Each structure stands twice: as structure tokens, then as C-alpha cells.
Amino acid sequence: MKCHRLNELISLLQPAWQQEPDLNLVEFLQKIADEAGFTQPISDITDDVLIYHLKMRGTDKDEAIPGLKKDYEEDFKTALLRARGVIKD
């Protein structure tokens, strides 16, 4: 794991974990994994799952993922033309 990803994970994890002070770290990580629908053993969870779930926790389930939101287009035709370079930003 890169240092910046570790820092991002810690900055997301700290406020969320403080809201559940009765859980130890492993219990809290298991809770996050369960919320994310992660069914494999907790030792197999990736930092990506934790980061994205912590970012999206408490938002509407139809909300766009923050990293993808910047590329979102309302209509398919515009998205296709932009992807092919016909429409420039």
C-alpha cells in the first residue's frame, strides 16, 4: 500500500470509527466489510473496498462514486462523442 493511500484510509477511518467507540478495530473493519457486501474473509479485503465504502457510507445508493462523478455525462450520445474526441472540453 502506498503511503498516500494509507493516509487517506486513516483519515476516513478515524471519524467513522469514533462514532462506534464500543467496537475494536477488527470488529469495525468487519462491520465495514459487511456493509459493503464483502463476503470473503476479512483478511482478503482490499484498501480500495475500505476507502470507497467509507467515502460512500451514508450516501444515497444511487449516488455516483466520487472518482467517477467527474466523468459523468447525462446522455449517452454526448458521452460517446466526448470519448471519441469529437467534443472537446
Side-chain angles (χ1 to χ4, degrees):
M1 181 185 297
K2 303 276 187 222
C3 187
H4 71 277
R5 293 185 64 79
L6 177 61
N7 291 336
E8 182 179 15
L9 181 57
I10 290 170
S11 70
L12 292 167
L13 191 60
Q14 183 181 11
W17 189 18
Q18 286 177 337
Q19 294 176 1
E20 311 261 353
D22 56 321
L23 300 178
N24 67 42
L25 180 58
V26 174
E27 290 171 333
F28 185 70
L29 291 175
Q30 183 64 58
K31 180 178 180 173
I32 295 295
D34 293 342
E35 287 176 6
F38 191 79
T39 57
Q40 299 168 0
I42 191 72
S43 61
D44 292 341
I45 198 164
T46 63
D47 55 332
D48 291 329
V49 172
L50 293 171
I51 289 170
Y52 281 110
H53 185 70
L54 286 166
K55 282 184 177 182
M56 300 301 293
R57 195 173 189 216
T59 62
D60 184 28
K61 71 175 189 166
D62 295 326
E63 179 93 15
I65 296 172
L68 301 177
K69 196 174 200 175
K70 64 180 176 51
D71 298 326
Y72 181 75
E73 290 289 343
E74 225 11 87
D75 98 76
F76 180 74
K77 183 178 177 182
T78 304
L80 188 60
L81 292 173
R82 191 175 310 280
R84 291 187 174 171
V86 175
I87 297 175
K88 305 278 185 203
D89 287 334

